[in-house]
């Protein structure tokens, strides 16, 4: 069975940095495009970043471009999201997702999802 497990969330002060990780199992990791999404209370799930199987194609949401870096280590079956210059607007539950095909910015394109890791940014 496919399992995606996020980790690395927590409480951080505004201007700080955080690195999220997503450990994948039950799938051939290198066959999948991966993405990060986030959801704050009362709001819809929002695209953050996506990366192709090889890392050759990367997309970022305009709201985070320049502050975050998505990467993957296929040898470790792990996806990462490095976030810098964090702002209280970044507070949300962050989800890792996987799909067969090209990386997408739409949540409906993804086949598998993790349980999420909470990121809280204080002012």
């Amino acid at each position: 069975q496919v399992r995606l497990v996020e980790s690395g969330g927590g409480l951080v002060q505004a201007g700080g940095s955080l690195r999220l990780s997503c450990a994948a199992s039950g799938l051939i990791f290198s066959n999948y495009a991966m993405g990060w999404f986030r959801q704050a209370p009362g709001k819809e799930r929002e695209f953050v970043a996506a990366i192709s199987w090889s890392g050759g194609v990367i997309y970022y949401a305009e709201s985070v471009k320049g502050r975050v870096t998505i990467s993957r280590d296929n040898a470790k079956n792990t996806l990462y999201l490095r976030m810098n210059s964090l702002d209280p607007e970044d507070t949300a539950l962050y989800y890792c997702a996987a799909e067969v095909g090209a990386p997408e910015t739409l949540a409906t394109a993804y086949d598998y999802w993790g349980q999420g890791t909470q990121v809280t940014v204080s002012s």
Side-chain angles (χ1 to χ4, degrees):
Q1 59 182 12
V2 175
R3 198 157 92 107
L4 303 177
V5 181
E6 302 94 335
S7 62
L11 177 64
V12 63
Q13 293 183 351
S17 299
L18 211 57
R19 188 179 75 161
L20 307 183
S21 298
C22 172
S25 61
L27 78 170
I28 302 175
F29 184 68
S30 60
N31 286 353
Y32 288 80
M34 303 293 297
W36 286 100
F37 292 78
R38 66 187 183 185
Q39 188 165 22
K43 301 180 68 176
E44 292 190 344
R45 191 161 298 186
E46 177 188 21
F47 169 75
V48 178
I51 186 169
S52 64
W53 72 270
S54 65
V57 179
I58 292 176
Y59 299 130
Y60 292 109
E62 289 296 323
S63 60
V64 301
K65 190 175 297 182
R67 299 190 297 115
V68 309
T69 301
I70 187 172
S71 62
R72 64 191 296 164
D73 188 336
N74 288 346
K76 297 181 179 179
N77 291 348
T78 303
L79 174 74
Y80 303 99
L81 184 72
R82 178 69 180 183
M83 302 187 291
N84 300 317
S85 302
L86 285 166
D87 186 273
E89 294 180 356
D90 297 314
T91 296
L93 189 64
Y94 283 71
Y95 295 93
C96 167
E99 65 145 342
V100 175
E104 297 281 352
T105 61
L106 296 177
T108 53
Y110 288 82
D111 301 303
Y112 304 106
W113 293 83
Q115 83 289 350
T117 185
Q118 179 67 39
V119 172
T120 302
V121 184
S122 62
S123 61

